[in-house]
């Protein structure tokens, strides 16, 4: 997948693409290509303000039954930590 003025696909992609756009601390626009889990995690946080970490993980496991719960928990934690390092999110309380 490319993002540029020169890249104008004539046909839709065979599968959806999920992108997170944000401004870093230097005010530069950045893109992160998301997978199904990370897109769903951000959607759940956005649509359920105040959701607790354990509830979020349980919901992700329910919504992604073909993925192992161990993998979901591990990848979700790493993803949120990465967002915090990039200052995409400022604070997250996991309890």
């Amino acid at each position: 997948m490319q993002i540029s003025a020169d890249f104008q696909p004539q046909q839709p992609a065979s599968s959806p693409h999920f992108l997170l756009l944000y401004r870093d601390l230097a005010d530069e626009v950045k893109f992160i290509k998301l997978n199904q889990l990370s897109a769903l995690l951000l959607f759940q946080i956005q649509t359920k303000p105040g959701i607790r970490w354990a509830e979020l993980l349980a919901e992700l496991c329910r919504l992604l039954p073909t993925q192992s719960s161990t993998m979901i928990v591990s990848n979700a934690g790493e993803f949120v930590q990465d967002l915090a390092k990039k200052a995409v999110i400022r604070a997250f309380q996991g309890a």
Side-chain angles (χ1 to χ4, degrees):
M1 181 177 65
Q2 303 172 13
I3 298 177
S4 73
D6 298 329
F7 182 69
Q8 300 291 321
Q10 300 302 311
Q11 299 293 324
S14 60
S15 61
H17 296 282
F18 304 104
L19 297 173
L20 171 64
L21 284 76
Y22 69 98
R23 289 191 181 270
D24 66 9
L25 295 175
D27 206 32
E28 293 182 28
V29 175
K30 301 289 185 175
F31 297 85
I32 298 174
K33 184 177 179 182
L34 304 175
N35 60 29
Q36 183 183 25
L37 172 62
S38 55
L40 189 56
L41 182 148
L42 290 174
F43 177 77
Q44 292 296 313
I45 291 171
Q46 181 181 14
T47 58
K48 297 177 181 175
I51 190 170
R52 295 197 170 279
W53 184 245
E55 295 167 353
L56 175 61
L57 294 175
E59 183 70 4
L60 293 172
C61 291
R62 186 186 69 74
L63 293 169
L64 301 169
T66 60
Q67 297 186 25
S68 85
S69 59
T70 303
M71 185 273 310
I72 289 172
V73 170
S74 174
N75 289 349
E78 290 173 13
F79 177 65
V80 169
Q81 289 175 352
D82 186 52
L83 292 181
K85 286 178 189 172
K86 293 177 179 174
V88 175
I89 58 175
R90 292 202 175 109
F92 187 81
Q93 295 178 340

